[in-house]
Amino acid sequence: MIKNNSPLWGITTIIGCVLILSSCKTVKQTSTVAARRSGASSLESVATALNQPETKGKVIEGYTLQNNDRVYFNAIRNYVQGKFDTAFVTLNYYNKLDSTNAAAYYYLASLKGRANFLKPTLTDAGKAASLAPDNKWIQAFYANILAFDESYDKSAQIFSDLAAKNPVDRAQYYIAAAKMYSRSKNYAAALKVLDTLQLTRPPDDEDILMEKQNIYMTSKDLPNAIKVTQQLADAYPLSPEYLIQLNEIYEIQGNTEQSLATIKLLQDRFPYNDDITSYTFGYYLKKRNMEMVTESLNEYIDAAEKNQEKDLSILSQIGSYISNNPKDTAVLTFMAELTEKITVQKPNSFTAKRLLASLNLFSRKGALGLQQSEALIKDRPHNYALWTPVLSYYLYYTNDQDATLKFLDRMEVGFPDSIDIPMNKMFIYRGKDKIDTALKYAFKGLDLSQKQKATEREIIFYNSIAEYYNELKQYLKSDSVFEDLLKKAPDNIMALNNYAYYLSERGERLEYALNLSKKTLEQQYDEPNYLDTYGWILYKMKRYEEAKVYIEKAITNAGNDVTAVVLEHYADIEFQLGHVDNALKIWKAIDEAGQGSALLKKKIKDKKLYE
């Protein structure tokens, strides 16, 4: 749903502990393994004719041939050249001649993985692993496939064995094992693995401590989470994030005394850091300690005065408080009045004036805040940070798109290289359903982000361009942009998911779409949207039983937040499996909620599946 030193095929990462069944290349052969087998007789005849076994012992260029080497080498050559159907049949033919070659099963597993048949992939990878117990690449390959099959404990054990046998790669293998045990909720085993790794690492190793912290937080073991976070804070005293994490854990625990002590330590250790002062201000505001709110606000204004062209981070703290306390409508008024007093006390404080204008913008005094902000802009028109609160005011408070566009036009005159301007114009015109205009600004933003090497923004524009082309039904252009993006950022999860889903909706290149979708699950194996996309592509491939497994996972993981789209997908699968009554029941429930696809009512009326 919308939202190496290895063998030739290779594994992209071990630390991620995820299955990589397909390469990043575009798979042009879209036939399934079953289809390959249906045509196997003709291909096998060709393979037999072209692959006459060599005589064992014959020497060619210094290499002594083993039986059937020609068959094996031809299979690998076809694999490397992308002739996957021929490679598949040739490898199967080779296995009839010699069933003891681990690499042959390894490549067969990768080919079956390309077609996303997990069980056969698992079987061949297991054979490869049993034939080559000391080959770390094959063992890691097998462990990753076990992980995708949710056999986490078995995967973890393989990674642990690899760590013990390979000192150079010990850290990455042990951490991989710990992650696998964590996924299976076997936290004691995960911690034991990390303790074993700790024996060969410094006592304050950051990677190990952070992994332990994650395990303790996931398992809700707050005392031990506090212990390792305190260890991190002590070992890395110039990294404020660990003290902030420590404070957050104390807050979850309800330990107000220790939480306050940590806040004071942050203030003492980072007295001139306006972001830290902003954080401590947010803490006191959340506690409604108005005396300390006043004191920390003064400190923040003094600290922020040193950088007058920086955005006011304190506004995010106030915004967070309002989001969590929507009934406390007086807080903005209180903060504005407090800031106004500070401006009287510090008449030369530019930061105080900025803050007052911004607070008025977002309170009931929007007109006054706008007037004050415009006065500041007139005085210092080249200070970009003065423009951004006004832009936020227009974007989120006025709901006046035309006024927002006019303000963006003004900004563009003074800041022609600002990436924010085309990005906001792009989103506004998309909201107006003016896709062509949105596309124009997406290209402008892409050009600016590439010139400024703003990679994260560049990826946003790439995704937007691909999606806009898709909405305009210019599918070749959309696909081309997605392909370019995935060359630049092969693990971009939004592109992988959306591209896969768009292909599935068109019923095109489904095997390739499934490979794209699998990469999202390798990154976030429990995300409902990605599970739904994967399951829906399996549905489009008529692999209904497998599709049902993944859509059920999507529904379970989404809980109360499950969408009508996912539920309708599930009902469609039920219908295809012959569970018509259950499908109708779900369709009707979706329809009664006023949701569902354009074809939903027709499905219910005719008791027939329409797509």
Side-chain angles (χ1 to χ4, degrees):
M1 187 175 72
I2 304 300
K3 226 180 164 161
N4 86 39
N5 293 318
S6 62
L8 289 173
W9 185 78
I11 299 172
T12 62
T13 180
I14 293 172
I15 294 298
C17 298
V18 292
L19 171 63
I20 303 294
L21 288 178
S22 60
S23 74
C24 294
K25 296 180 181 178
T26 301
V27 181
K28 296 187 177 179
Q29 292 86 348
T30 57
S31 57
T32 63
V33 168
R36 291 177 183 131
R37 286 174 175 168
S38 68
S41 58
S42 60
L43 283 171
E44 188 168 328
S45 297
V46 174
T48 303
L50 295 177
N51 293 289
Q52 294 303 314
E54 295 283 359
T55 303
K56 184 176 181 179
K58 184 177 180 179
V59 178
I60 299 178
E61 296 183 358
Y63 177 76
T64 303
L65 293 174
Q66 305 300 308
N67 283 343
N68 315 309
D69 270 349
R70 183 193 294 276
V71 184
Y72 177 72
F73 291 145
N74 280 340
I76 300 307
R77 182 173 63 250
N78 284 317
Y79 184 97
V80 173
Q81 292 175 346
K83 299 175 182 178
F84 300 121
D85 288 345
T86 304
F88 179 79
V89 172
T90 307
L91 283 166
N92 276 298
Y93 172 60
Y94 173 79
N95 275 352
K96 292 179 181 179
L97 304 172
D98 183 355
S99 61
T100 63
N101 188 333
Y105 285 109
Y106 174 92
Y107 284 105
L108 272 174
S110 73
L111 285 167
K112 292 174 182 179
R114 286 176 179 275
N116 297 286
F117 285 93
L118 179 57
K119 296 304 179 185
T121 303
L122 195 59
T123 298
D124 282 346
K127 289 179 180 177
S130 65
L131 289 168
D134 296 322
N135 186 310
K136 66 179 182 180
W137 305 112
I138 289 178
Q139 293 298 319
F141 173 63
Y142 183 43
N144 279 319
I145 297 173
L146 286 166
F148 200 83
D149 191 44
E150 299 183 7
S151 300
Y152 299 127
D153 284 347
K154 191 172 180 179
S155 174
Q157 186 57 57
I158 292 174
F159 279 125
S160 294
D161 292 343
L162 284 170
K165 295 176 182 178
N166 298 277
V168 174
D169 302 317
R170 178 182 291 124
Q172 63 181 13
Y173 286 134
Y174 271 136
I175 289 177
K179 289 180 182 293
M180 289 298 99
Y181 280 130
S182 293
R183 284 193 182 185
S184 69
K185 296 182 171 49
N186 191 346
Y187 303 118
L191 291 167
K192 184 177 180 179
V193 165
L194 292 172
D195 286 338
T196 302
L197 175 59
Q198 187 75 74
L199 296 174
T200 61
R201 308 280 285 190
D204 295 324
D205 183 278
E206 194 169 14
D207 291 335
I208 295 175
L209 292 176
M210 288 176 66
E211 197 63 43
K212 284 187 173 184
Q213 181 198 58
N214 181 61
I215 292 170
Y216 288 133
M217 291 301 295
T218 303
S219 62
K220 296 181 171 51
D221 184 351
L222 296 184
N224 275 314
I226 288 170
K227 182 179 178 181
V228 296
T229 308
Q230 182 67 65
Q231 192 174 348
L232 282 163
D234 292 341
Y236 305 95
L238 298 181
S239 299
E241 65 267 23
Y242 295 126
L243 282 177
I244 291 174
Q245 291 168 11
L246 190 59
N247 174 67
E248 298 295 330
I249 301 171
Y250 281 133
E251 284 291 287
I252 295 171
Q253 192 183 47
N255 191 334
T256 304
E257 182 180 351
Q258 288 298 325
S259 173
L260 180 59
T262 306
I263 286 292
K264 289 182 177 178
L265 182 57
L266 268 169
Q267 290 177 295
D268 292 341
R269 191 172 290 180
F270 305 98
Y272 305 113
N273 186 321
D274 57 314
D275 289 331
I276 298 302
T277 310
S278 170
Y279 176 79
T280 58
F281 164 85
Y283 172 84
Y284 290 122
L285 182 61
K286 183 171 63 176
K287 298 295 185 182
R288 299 188 63 79
N289 185 336
M290 293 310 166
E291 180 181 352
M292 291 306 300
V293 164
T294 302
E295 181 180 324
S296 58
L297 181 61
N298 272 285
E299 291 174 355
Y300 173 79
I301 288 172
D302 291 342
E305 191 73 4
K306 295 178 177 64
N307 190 348
Q308 297 182 356
E309 295 192 358
K310 182 180 177 181
D311 287 330
L312 298 172
S313 59
I314 201 168
L315 291 173
S316 64
Q317 295 292 339
I318 297 171
S320 176
Y321 175 84
I322 293 171
S323 297
N324 293 323
N325 302 274
K327 294 182 179 180
D328 192 356
T329 56
V331 67
L332 271 176
T333 302
F334 170 80
M335 293 306 306
E337 290 175 352
L338 177 58
T339 307
E340 191 167 11
K341 291 178 181 177
I342 295 174
T343 58
V344 173
Q345 297 166 0
K346 302 175 180 179
N348 296 322
S349 173
F350 183 67
T351 300
K353 293 175 184 177
R354 287 176 62 195
L355 182 58
L356 178 60
S358 296
L359 289 170
N360 283 330
L361 273 175
F362 306 127
S363 68
R364 297 175 183 176
K365 298 180 180 180
L368 175 60
L370 188 57
Q371 180 183 350
Q372 292 169 329
S373 296
E374 289 287 7
L376 291 169
I377 289 172
K378 184 178 180 180
D379 183 48
R380 302 188 186 187
H382 301 298
N383 187 337
Y384 190 79
L386 299 178
W387 294 76
T388 52
V390 183
L391 177 59
S392 296
Y393 170 73
Y394 278 118
L395 283 170
Y396 306 118
Y397 284 80
T398 68
N399 199 30
D400 188 337
Q401 293 180 328
D402 291 332
T404 307
L405 288 169
K406 287 180 180 179
F407 187 74
L408 284 166
D409 288 339
R410 286 177 55 198
M411 290 183 70
E412 194 167 20
V413 173
F415 308 98
D417 295 330
S418 169
I419 301 174
D420 294 336
I421 296 168
M423 181 168 288
N424 281 294
K425 285 188 174 183
M426 176 184 76
F427 289 136
I428 291 171
Y429 282 112
R430 172 62 188 87
K432 287 172 166 281
D433 287 325
K434 295 184 178 180
I435 307 299
D436 286 325
T437 308
L439 193 58
K440 180 183 77 173
Y441 285 107
F443 274 110
K444 183 172 183 179
L446 179 65
D447 181 60
L448 287 172
S449 60
Q450 288 176 336
K451 288 177 179 176
Q452 298 174 31
K453 302 188 185 306
T455 305
E456 291 184 7
R457 300 291 188 91
E458 180 184 1
I459 288 173
I460 292 173
F461 287 117
Y462 259 119
N463 269 307
S464 299
I465 291 167
E467 291 182 32
Y468 298 159
Y469 275 138
N470 184 75
E471 291 183 45
L472 293 168
K473 301 189 184 325
Q474 298 182 30
Y475 301 129
L476 289 177
K477 289 183 177 179
S478 175
D479 292 358
S480 177
V481 174
F482 273 127
E483 292 289 349
D484 286 345
L485 172 53
L486 290 174
K487 289 176 184 176
K488 180 179 289 289
D491 296 324
N492 183 260
I493 204 161
M494 181 183 293
L496 289 167
N497 181 68
N498 290 355
Y499 189 17
Y501 192 76
Y502 293 152
L503 287 172
S504 74
E505 287 293 275
R506 285 150 39 199
E508 297 178 3
R509 301 166 67 202
L510 293 177
E511 186 176 338
Y512 179 50
L514 197 61
N515 285 326
L516 295 173
S517 179
K518 183 184 278 98
K519 292 178 186 296
T520 68
L521 296 181
E522 290 164 0
Q523 295 181 56
Q524 295 185 27
Y525 63 96
D526 56 357
E527 167 56 44
N529 283 345
Y530 306 151
L531 287 164
D532 173 70
T533 296
Y534 191 77
W536 189 240
I537 300 169
L538 287 169
Y539 168 86
K540 290 283 189 172
M541 298 173 80
K542 305 186 186 307
R543 292 162 58 177
Y544 303 124
E545 291 286 358
E546 294 172 82
K548 183 177 179 179
V549 171
Y550 286 93
I551 301 294
E552 283 179 338
K553 287 181 183 179
I555 293 170
T556 299
N557 291 354
N560 293 331
D561 296 324
V562 65
T563 67
V565 173
V566 177
L567 290 174
E568 190 169 345
H569 284 172
Y570 183 72
D572 291 355
I573 293 169
E574 285 286 81
F575 189 93
Q576 291 285 21
L577 289 171
H579 309 151
V580 178
D581 290 342
N582 194 35
L584 283 167
K585 181 180 178 182
I586 300 170
W587 284 341
K588 288 177 181 178
I590 297 170
D591 186 50
E592 289 169 4
Q595 300 184 57
S597 70
L599 296 170
L600 181 61
K601 292 184 183 295
K602 191 171 176 62
K603 293 179 187 177
I604 296 170
K605 179 183 176 182
D606 298 344
K607 297 183 180 179
K608 186 177 178 181
L609 190 61
Y610 294 97
E611 296 181 17

